[in-house]
Amino acid sequence: MKKKSVNFLENIAIEIISWLLVFLSKFIYFSCRKEIIGHEKIEYLENSPEPFIYAFWHGRLYPMNFLYTKKKKVHAIISNHVDGEIIARIISKFGVYAVRGSTNRMPDKDRPFKNRGGTFVIRESIRIFKEGNVIAITPDGPKGPVRKVKKNLFKTVLEKNISIALIGFSASRSICFSSWDNFMLPMPFSKIVITMDYIKNPLEEFNKYELDEFALKIEESLNNITAQADKISNHRHAN
């Protein structure tokens, strides 16, 4: 009985925290001026019946709940940790579905069933792609290294020839937390800059065995549009 009571109280606390963070997120976003660059590059993906991926760095994920297409079901891969539970509840309040599983150690040829969380993520990803829907992912999450792509996350993406919408973000004034990802939270009434690009039909450029090269292309593209957002916003940290 004691364990159930603790779980109940934890659930209540997580729910309250998630609602508070949703309200804070909305207040900040709608108080800010926005400049979105390159949306025309990914409009085709959002309007196409084909599935695709949203990719963005973990430390720059703040505005994504406001940017997802409303024309498809969006699923975000979220870790099984406690902080992942808070994130899952927050995104659910924006109409985004959570896929819970480990992305820190995805299964590979040497230990394909060692991490069942990773195996579940792959299985769910294939199902989502078959339905023509969307997956949102932070290629350096959930624990880093920062801005380094975990290539195994994209093995299925390459094999299935899934296009990727790349999103960068910065702000003129922000708080950058001292976490592993230097998470950026814009200050209210600042300017938000969002940059977008895409990698369309990757098998036109890579073969299915060129996973290293494909991952490097994603990493370089994300870093480029993030640097572009930083430059345009001329961002200054509040701390």
Side-chain angles (χ1 to χ4, degrees):
M1 291 297 293
K2 185 176 181 180
K3 184 176 180 180
K4 289 182 179 180
S5 177
V6 169
N7 287 337
F8 173 77
L9 292 176
E10 287 176 346
N11 284 331
I12 294 297
I14 290 172
E15 188 68 10
I16 292 171
I17 291 169
S18 65
W19 273 114
L20 289 174
L21 291 175
V22 167
F23 291 138
L24 175 63
S25 178
K26 289 184 176 182
F27 168 72
I28 292 173
Y29 187 80
F30 291 112
S31 75
C32 291
R33 293 174 292 121
K34 271 83 67 179
E35 183 177 356
I36 299 177
I37 300 167
H39 183 251
E40 70 281 357
K41 295 180 179 180
I42 71 168
E43 274 188 303
Y44 168 80
L45 300 179
E46 293 179 332
N47 293 319
S48 167
E50 299 299 318
F52 69 92
I53 287 257
Y54 282 112
F56 42 93
W57 292 133
H58 198 278
R60 302 296 179 100
L61 61 79
Y62 162 75
M64 286 308 303
N65 282 318
F66 302 97
L67 303 177
Y68 293 134
T69 178
K70 306 300 182 185
K71 298 176 181 180
K72 301 171 183 279
K73 288 183 179 180
V74 178
H75 302 72
I77 297 178
I78 308 294
S79 75
N80 281 323
H81 298 114
V82 174
D83 56 346
E85 178 63 25
I86 295 174
I87 293 171
R89 297 203 191 189
I90 290 172
I91 66 172
S92 71
K93 293 168 176 53
F94 287 91
V96 179
Y97 301 85
V99 177
R100 304 300 303 276
S102 173
T103 59
N104 201 42
R105 287 192 305 138
M106 297 293 282
D108 56 36
K109 65 181 180 179
D110 297 319
R111 51 179 187 182
F113 300 105
K114 182 73 174 177
N115 189 313
R116 293 189 179 274
T119 304
F120 174 76
V121 167
I122 292 174
R123 188 169 63 246
E124 282 296 287
S125 298
I126 292 172
R127 179 187 64 80
I128 292 163
F129 291 148
K130 285 182 179 179
E131 293 173 351
N133 288 315
V134 181
I135 293 176
I137 195 166
T138 54
D140 58 345
K143 295 182 178 179
V146 64
R147 297 196 189 183
K148 300 296 292 185
V149 166
K150 293 182 172 70
K151 65 181 182 179
N152 283 339
L153 293 176
F154 291 95
K155 186 174 187 296
T156 302
V157 174
L158 181 58
E159 291 174 348
K160 301 292 183 182
N161 199 29
I162 305 296
S163 298
I164 304 177
L166 304 160
I167 312 293
F169 153 69
S170 190
S172 59
R173 292 182 299 113
S174 66
I175 297 172
C176 287
F177 293 89
S178 58
S179 53
W180 70 265
D181 60 350
N182 299 125
F183 185 85
M184 178 182 282
L185 181 68
M187 298 289 287
F189 309 105
S190 61
K191 178 182 178 181
I192 288 174
V193 176
I194 295 158
T195 48
M196 301 183 176
D197 204 348
Y198 70 97
I199 299 173
K200 184 180 175 185
N201 301 330
L203 286 180
E204 292 180 0
E205 184 177 351
F206 307 93
N207 67 54
K208 65 180 182 179
Y209 302 106
E210 293 179 317
L211 183 58
D212 288 340
E213 293 82 355
F214 181 46
L216 182 60
K217 174 68 176 290
I218 296 168
E219 186 175 302
E220 289 177 344
S221 298
L222 271 177
N223 280 329
N224 286 340
I225 62 173
T226 300
Q228 181 189 16
D230 283 340
K231 183 177 180 180
I232 295 170
S233 70
N234 192 26
H235 78 94
R236 301 186 303 278
H237 299 172
N239 54 337

